[in-house]
Amino acid sequence: MSKRAALVTDEPGGPFKALPPGLHHHLRPFFADITEEVVRAIRTEIPEYARPADDTYMQAVHRGVDHALQGFLERMAQPDTDWEPVQATYQRIGRGEAEEGRSLDSFQSALRLGARVTWRRVNALVDADLVPRTVLGAFGEALFLHLDEMAAATTAGYTEARLHAAGELQQRRTRLIDLLTADPPASAEAIAELAHSARWPVPRTLAVVAVDHGPPTGSGPFGPRPGSGPIEPASGSGPLAGAAGAGPVTPTARGGLLAPSPGAGPLASPPGRRPQTASPGADPTAGSGRPAPPSGSGPIAPPAGMRPPAALSGADAIGPPSARGPIVPPEFLARFDVRPAVLVVPDPEGPGRARAVAGALQGRRAAMGPTVALHEGARSLRWACEALDLMRRGVLPDTELLRCQDHLATLLLLRDEALVDAMAERRLRPLEQVRPPQRERLAETLLSWLNSGHNASEVAVRLAVHPQTVRYRMRQLDELFGGQLHDPTAQFEMQLALRALQLRNGVSR
């Protein structure tokens, strides 16, 4: 509210008390003509109100102008009149403009135009000696105070309605995200109906992006990778436990495929990630990129086998805009009140979409699920969350936006790591019989041999060793594995297990 409007609060009656008593009686006979002139000016100068063929609309405009001027006269007659009922009227007008989808520009232009016409007509009365010139100063102050208060009340009502509508729209969009990522999927009719009420054009396809909250800090563009150090296996002996005091075969951060780790099992979960088989009451999603249990209302519907993202609370839910999430294009659906945050991208293969997603992320680490049909959003969300988890662990590249479709083999191999553990325990147990340094070299040679179609010369090139060295190691492996080394099924499972170990360690060879 302007300083002029503030006078009513600071000084009850404000400039209206400075007007001479009886002035409203003197002016009342002229206000009918002033009303007509204001209406004509509004119809002529403001295109939105120029509807000569619409009698009902023009009568409403006439009533509005008459109400404003009569209210002004009443305040001149009784400066201490309660302003609240009049204020409520203009707040209702503001809400009505918002609900009709119009801006306040035309209405406020009409208010200003009405004040100018009234001021001009009263000056004409003064020039005709029909009104004392001494009242002009106080009259003008009161007139423009009245204008300011009407404008402020209208703006307050308009803003309130817009905020209410925006809140309802966001709630619908949040429910739409739940519907699009539900498993089992919602019907096409339910999606279309909610999308219409949420003002979201229904696309042919979509992709779901899982987003970390806030740009990671630390060295490098995305900071340190959680879990990128040595994978800490569970305690106890395992199928790859070393001989004579040596530890089991396990990935390390040294860059090798396998290395000893005293007193630990082979393929246990990495730091910050609980085993997939948890004890009753434990949270199997803690520390992972997979959606966590909901806290609060409106959780995203969980894909099969997954928990929904957890709603934020406290400092996570309020704060500066950067904490609440970036501004995204209106065609995207977004929730930044859950962990991980969720972005639904319509028609992700369309032109400019990749650029729009990158702009919306603003440097946050994120993984985009596959492009799917509308009823498969749960799958896209599930893959995106799993890829984000692997990014945090350093298994997948820690880029700003990773696309799942570029890393399908990794996602497949690490989809169920308990199965990988079981396969490694079954197929790689013979490596327990050698000491860690040799075990590392043999595992590396075995994987290269399987990858290169059993070609010793190609293995030598890959490992940068002499072909004779490869043949020597292969004789050792043949002694350890026996007939398994020539069984196609065993070869395939050994290759999968060794490749999974390699991925967990971030070794690319």
Side-chain angles (χ1 to χ4, degrees):
M1 186 179 294
S2 68
K3 292 181 179 179
R4 201 182 286 126
L7 289 175
V8 169
T9 302
D10 298 338
E11 302 176 26
F16 287 95
K17 286 189 173 182
L19 295 171
L23 179 61
H24 62 287
H25 285 305
H26 194 67
L27 290 176
R28 192 177 295 276
F30 303 103
F31 264 51
D33 289 341
I34 293 175
T35 298
E36 295 299 330
E37 186 172 342
V38 169
V39 171
R40 285 195 300 272
I42 289 173
R43 289 175 56 181
T44 302
E45 299 185 30
I46 302 178
E48 188 163 331
Y49 292 100
R51 303 185 190 178
D54 190 343
D55 290 339
T56 302
Y57 185 80
M58 293 316 302
Q59 288 174 10
V61 172
H62 193 285
R63 284 195 303 272
V65 173
D66 185 65
H67 181 81
L69 291 176
Q70 291 302 320
F72 180 63
L73 283 176
E74 291 301 322
R75 295 187 74 184
M76 290 175 63
Q78 298 178 324
D80 295 326
T81 298
D82 185 10
W83 165 247
E84 293 299 324
V86 181
Q87 186 180 45
T89 297
Y90 284 95
Q91 287 175 345
R92 285 196 298 274
I93 291 173
R95 287 194 289 270
E97 292 293 297
E99 289 164 3
E100 290 295 324
R102 294 190 292 265
S103 73
L104 280 182
D105 294 345
S106 296
F107 183 81
Q108 294 189 342
S109 294
L111 287 180
R112 291 190 294 269
L113 181 58
R116 289 202 308 271
V117 170
T118 303
W119 176 248
R120 184 169 63 243
R121 286 297 303 273
V122 170
N123 270 275
L125 293 175
V126 169
D127 290 342
D129 294 328
L130 298 175
V131 173
R133 187 172 297 277
T134 54
V135 306
L136 272 182
F139 179 86
E141 185 70 17
L143 175 64
F144 291 105
L145 169 65
H146 190 64
L147 168 70
D148 281 355
E149 290 180 335
M150 288 190 295
T154 306
T155 300
Y158 184 87
T159 302
E160 177 188 351
R162 288 293 298 271
L163 288 174
H164 180 72
E168 286 189 346
L169 184 64
Q170 184 55 46
Q171 288 177 2
R172 294 190 193 110
R173 288 180 161 236
T174 296
R175 290 199 299 272
L176 183 55
I177 294 176
D178 295 348
L179 213 58
L180 290 168
T181 56
D183 191 8
S187 67
E189 293 76 13
I191 292 174
E193 182 179 352
L194 185 54
H196 176 74
S197 67
R199 301 179 189 173
W200 190 67
V202 178
R204 295 180 59 188
T205 59
L206 60 83
V208 183
V209 182
V211 187
D212 260 346
H213 276 270
T217 57
S219 60
F222 294 97
R225 296 173 174 174
S228 60
I231 295 179
E232 299 293 340
S235 60
S237 61
L240 301 183
V249 179
T250 179
T252 72
R254 295 189 317 174
L257 177 64
L258 304 172
S261 180
L267 289 167
S269 302
R273 179 181 176 86
R274 298 181 181 224
Q276 292 189 346
T277 303
S279 60
D283 175 12
T285 65
S288 74
R290 301 181 183 183
S295 63
S297 59
I300 292 178
M306 297 178 62
R307 297 173 183 262
L312 301 183
S313 60
D316 289 322
I318 57 177
S322 60
R324 297 193 300 268
I327 297 174
V328 301
E331 65 269 23
F332 291 1
L333 299 175
R335 284 197 69 178
F336 284 90
D337 61 334
V338 293
R339 291 188 184 278
V342 176
L343 197 66
V344 176
V345 181
D347 294 322
E349 308 302 327
R353 274 292 189 261
R355 196 164 50 249
V357 173
L361 293 176
Q362 296 181 0
R364 290 168 172 80
R365 180 195 290 122
M368 178 183 281
T371 298
V372 296
L374 287 182
H375 65 281
E376 294 186 293
R379 176 163 65 92
S380 189
L381 172 62
R382 183 174 66 249
W383 289 19
C385 289
E386 291 172 356
L388 185 63
D389 180 22
L390 295 176
M391 291 172 69
R392 290 168 177 160
R393 294 165 51 189
V395 175
L396 288 177
D398 199 358
T399 57
E400 179 178 334
L401 177 63
L402 179 138
R403 299 174 69 93
C404 288
Q405 65 186 25
D406 298 331
H407 302 275
L408 296 179
T410 301
L411 290 170
L412 175 63
L413 274 178
L414 300 181
R415 177 70 180 87
D416 190 335
E417 297 186 50
L419 284 176
V420 174
D421 293 346
M423 192 157 48
E425 182 174 357
R426 180 185 181 193
R427 295 300 183 187
L428 302 182
R429 180 176 292 277
L431 289 175
E432 293 179 14
Q433 302 173 40
V434 296
R435 292 182 177 277
Q438 186 181 9
R439 182 189 309 153
E440 171 77 23
R441 291 191 294 270
L442 291 178
E444 186 177 49
T445 302
L446 176 57
L447 180 57
S448 294
W449 181 73
L450 293 169
N451 287 340
S452 61
H454 311 166
N455 187 316
S457 298
E458 185 175 339
V459 174
V461 172
R462 289 188 178 199
L463 301 182
V465 297
H466 195 278
Q468 193 61 32
T469 302
V470 175
R471 294 186 183 93
Y472 172 71
R473 292 178 186 175
M474 290 308 305
R475 284 195 295 272
Q476 289 181 292
L477 289 168
D478 193 56
E479 292 175 2
L480 290 171
F481 286 91
Q484 287 191 67
L485 209 58
H486 307 285
D487 178 357
T489 300
Q491 288 181 7
F492 178 66
E493 292 182 0
M494 282 189 280
Q495 188 173 11
L496 290 179
L498 289 166
R499 178 58 179 157
L501 285 171
Q502 189 181 66
L503 288 171
R504 283 180 172 181
N505 193 31
V507 179
S508 58
R509 177 170 291 170

